[in-house]
Amino acid sequence: LVEHVLKFLGHEARALGNVGVPLASEVHLLPDNALIVAELSSFQLETMQKKALSEALILNITPDHLDRYGSMEEYAAAKARIGYLLKPNGKLFVFSPTAARFPSLFEGMPLELYGYEKGLDFSTDLISLFKGQKKVGDLPKALRGNKGHDLENFMAAFLVCERHGASLEDFIKGWDTFIKPRHRLEFVKEVRGVAFFDDSKGTNVDAVVRAVETMTRPTHLIAGGVHKGSSYTPWLPHFEGKVKKIYAIGEAACQIDDELSFAIPVERCISLEEAVKRSFESALQGEAVLLSPGCSSFDMFKDYAHRGEKFVELVNRL
C-alpha cells in the first residue's frame, strides 16, 4: 500500500524484502532517487547496524518464530531494533497497544503512536482522523464504524506517506485505487452456496484471529503447516460462535488437535486436498471455508503463495 500510494503521487518507489522480492535482487538496479519500502523480518533486524531508515513502522508484535527466540520478550526486542536504524530526524511509528505492551523497548526513540485512543499522535474515532486533539479529516466510508487490520494498515501507511508529501486527501485517492496482493483474505468463489476464502499469507496465530474476525458467515477453518512455537489456544475466545470446525493439516495438525479439540471439532487431514474436500462436504449453504493456516508452509509447499495457488486450484475443481 505504501509503495502504491507513493507511486500514485509520482515517486519512484519499490516494495522489497520480506514482502516477497528480496532486497539484494533489485536494490542495485534502482535509481538514486528511489524510495525503498522494505519489509524487514526480525531475523534481518538482528544483525543490521547502519542507520539507513527515514521512517520505521511496527504494526504489531504477536507470537511468532518462537522456535527461534527463547521468549516473546526476545522476539519483541529483535523487532524493536528497527528504531535504532533510523537516520537523524527519522521517525518511528508504532501501533499504541504494541508500545503499551513493551514500553521499555521504545524508551528514547523518536516515537509517534497511532491507534484508537483519543489524544494519541494519530488516532481515529472510527469516523474521523485526529492529530492529537485536532481533526484532520474523515475516513473513507468503507473503513468507518469497525476496528480492524484494514483500518490500522490505512493509518500506518498514511503516516509514512505523509512524510513524503502526501496529504490525507491525496492518500485516500491513492488508497481508492489499491488492489490487495493475492492470498490475503482473498475471495476465491462460491460453490453451491459455500464461499471460499484464501488467506494463505496468514502465517502466525494472530493473523488467523484477524482473518476470522472479518468473516461474516459461519466458518470452516483449514489451518496447519510448520509449527512455529506458539500455542493455538488463543484462538478459542475469537472462534466461539464463528468457527464451526477446524481441518488441521501438516506438521502442526497433531498439536492443533491436542490443544483445541476439547472446545471445537478438529479433523486431521493428510493433505490440503483432503481438507478442501472434507470442509466442502461439511459446510452448509450460506457458510464459508477459510484457508488461514497460522503456520509456515514449508512442510508441504514451496511458500505461502504456492499453498494459496494450490487451494484456489482445488476450489475451482469442486
Side-chain angles (χ1 to χ4, degrees):
L1 176 58
V2 171
E3 176 202 56
H4 175 82
V5 173
L6 291 174
K7 283 182 172 179
F8 180 83
L9 296 172
H11 293 286
E12 181 82 36
R14 190 76 172 98
L16 300 173
N18 209 31
V19 70
V21 183
L23 277 158
S25 69
E26 292 201 16
V27 69
H28 61 291
L29 303 174
L30 296 172
D32 290 342
N33 67 337
L35 295 172
I36 296 168
V37 186
E39 184 189 355
L40 302 173
S41 75
S42 57
F43 298 8
Q44 292 167 307
L45 290 167
E46 287 172 12
T47 55
M48 289 180 67
Q49 301 293 330
K50 186 176 179 182
K51 295 186 181 298
L53 308 180
S54 301
E55 296 84 33
L57 169 63
I58 297 177
L59 298 166
N60 56 57
I61 302 177
T62 58
D64 203 350
H65 303 302
L66 297 183
D67 51 344
R68 180 184 181 94
Y69 298 98
S71 65
M72 266 302 292
E73 287 66 30
E74 282 186 34
Y75 174 52
K79 281 207 165 190
R81 285 201 76 254
I82 199 168
Y84 296 106
L85 305 176
L86 289 165
K87 296 176 182 178
N89 302 317
K91 190 68 71 175
L92 173 62
F93 302 109
V94 181
F95 186 45
S96 61
T98 302
R101 185 176 178 190
F102 303 101
S104 64
L105 295 181
F106 301 108
E107 287 178 4
M109 293 184 182
L111 194 63
E112 285 198 12
L113 300 179
Y114 69 95
Y116 300 108
E117 304 97 299
K118 285 183 178 179
L120 294 174
D121 298 293
F122 191 55
S123 65
T124 181
D125 61 2
L126 306 184
I127 297 172
S128 302
L129 292 160
F130 301 86
K131 286 282 186 79
Q133 302 291 345
K134 182 182 177 183
K135 178 179 172 179
V136 293
D138 292 325
L139 286 171
K141 288 182 180 177
L143 293 177
R144 293 179 193 172
N146 293 301
K147 296 180 180 180
H149 67 284
D150 283 335
L151 173 52
E152 291 152 24
N153 289 342
F154 174 94
M155 296 172 70
F158 169 68
L159 288 168
V160 174
C161 293
E162 185 184 39
R163 295 259 298 176
H164 295 276
S167 67
L168 181 60
E169 182 181 7
D170 287 340
F171 181 82
I172 290 174
K173 286 178 182 175
W175 176 84
D176 276 337
T177 64
F178 177 63
I179 298 171
K180 279 185 185 178
R182 297 200 58 207
H183 313 301
R184 293 157 172 83
L185 269 177
E186 180 181 6
F187 174 69
V188 180
K189 68 185 297 187
E190 190 167 301
V191 186
R192 294 189 206 158
V194 178
F196 288 82
F197 294 87
D198 167 16
D199 189 45
S200 185
K201 187 68 169 73
T203 57
N204 64 42
V205 169
D206 185 66
V208 179
V209 170
R210 293 307 190 102
V212 167
E213 283 175 348
T214 69
M215 301 302 289
T216 57
R217 303 174 177 222
T219 298
H220 298 254
L221 174 69
I222 300 174
V226 179
H227 180 60
K228 297 165 83 174
S230 303
S231 171
Y232 302 99
T233 54
W235 285 349
L236 290 174
H238 302 279
F239 286 11
E240 190 173 347
K242 297 199 79 168
V243 175
K244 292 186 71 173
K245 189 173 181 179
I246 299 170
Y247 305 81
I249 61 173
E251 292 176 6
C254 291
Q255 184 154 349
I256 291 171
D257 190 9
D258 291 346
E259 291 190 1
L260 304 182
S261 58
F262 75 94
I264 189 168
V266 177
E267 180 175 344
R268 297 190 206 178
C269 299
I270 61 171
S271 65
L272 179 59
E273 185 170 10
E274 185 187 2
V276 170
K277 180 174 181 289
R278 294 291 301 124
S279 60
F280 181 50
E281 289 170 350
S282 300
L284 303 175
Q285 190 168 350
E287 296 182 345
V289 174
L290 168 67
L291 170 69
S292 190
C295 300
S296 59
S297 57
F298 304 121
D299 54 343
M300 302 166 79
F301 303 96
K302 183 175 71 174
D303 53 27
Y304 78 85
H306 179 212
R307 176 172 57 193
E309 285 155 11
K310 183 65 175 176
F311 176 72
V312 171
E313 177 190 320
L314 291 166
V315 171
N316 283 321
R317 276 200 234 147
L318 292 172

